[in-house]
Structure formats: C-alpha cells, structure tokens
Amino acid sequence: MDVAPDGVVAHNVKRIGHIDIPGGGQVVTQGNLAFIGHMDPPHGTSIIDISDLTAPRVISTLGMPPGNHSHKVRVAGDVMVINNENAKRHQMAAAARIPAERERLEAALG
C-alpha cells in the first residue's frame, strides 16, 4: 500500500468521528450501537453509542478474567454473544510442538 506524503493511506474515505479504545477485533453495529471485541486482556467487549457519528461514546464495557480475551462479538436483537478464550492459547500450542521439532531437526542436521 502506498502512503501519500500527507500520511493518507485510504482514498475516498472521510473521517466523521473518532474514539480511543483498546485494540479492537471484531466490530458489529446494530441500530445506534457498535459492539467491539478487544484483542488484549483484560478488555473484553465495548458497547459504543454511535447515534452521533461525530462523537461516539462508550456506554458500557465488559471485562475478561486475567489471561482471557474476547475479540469476537455477535448481536441479534437484544442478545449479544461473545467468545471468552485464553489469550495465549496460540503461543501455548506452538510451544507444545517445540520438543518434537527439536528432535526432528537434530535427526536431520546431526
């Protein structure tokens, strides 16, 4: 992606509002609400009032237990469903493969 001298990376896009919140994963909107799942613990899900698109505001946040995150959110009517998963599960799965990979490399390389 080319970056223009003025820092623009998107064209034909106009910012109409801004809100600073922890790194978001999935974003879902329904009516005047935006639901944002967060990648990093202890942030879980934020519910944002977007009735005034120029001034979005957080109306609720749901935290996660230590070590968990909730980066996915779905909303249907008055039901919101979020995930709750171990934030380091991918690293733990990869680490579990290290002994076998070491053995394979030692056999192949001597």
Side-chain angles (χ1 to χ4, degrees):
M1 178 182 317
D2 293 328
V3 177
D6 62 358
V8 173
V9 295
H11 299 282
N12 297 321
V13 174
K14 177 182 175 186
R15 181 196 292 196
I16 55 174
H18 176 87
I19 189 168
D20 283 322
I21 58 173
Q26 192 169 59
V27 177
V28 173
T29 62
Q30 181 174 289
N32 288 328
L33 299 175
F35 302 83
I36 303 171
H38 297 285
M39 295 299 296
D40 295 324
H43 311 289
T45 304
S46 292
I47 302 173
I48 312 295
D49 177 350
I50 55 171
S51 57
D52 178 358
L53 293 175
T54 64
R57 63 184 181 85
V58 175
I59 58 172
S60 185
T61 57
L62 305 168
M64 283 283 110
N68 290 6
H69 69 183
S70 175
H71 66 288
K72 297 174 186 162
V73 59
R74 295 281 195 272
V75 178
D78 62 353
V79 176
M80 177 178 74
V81 179
I82 61 173
N83 71 322
N84 178 351
E85 65 184 58
N86 185 297
K88 300 205 181 293
R89 71 184 178 95
H90 297 292
Q91 295 93 330
M92 291 167 40
R97 294 190 301 269
I98 290 174
E101 188 62 19
R102 172 176 279 180
E103 186 176 313
R104 184 190 71 79
L105 287 171
E106 286 174 348
L109 302 174

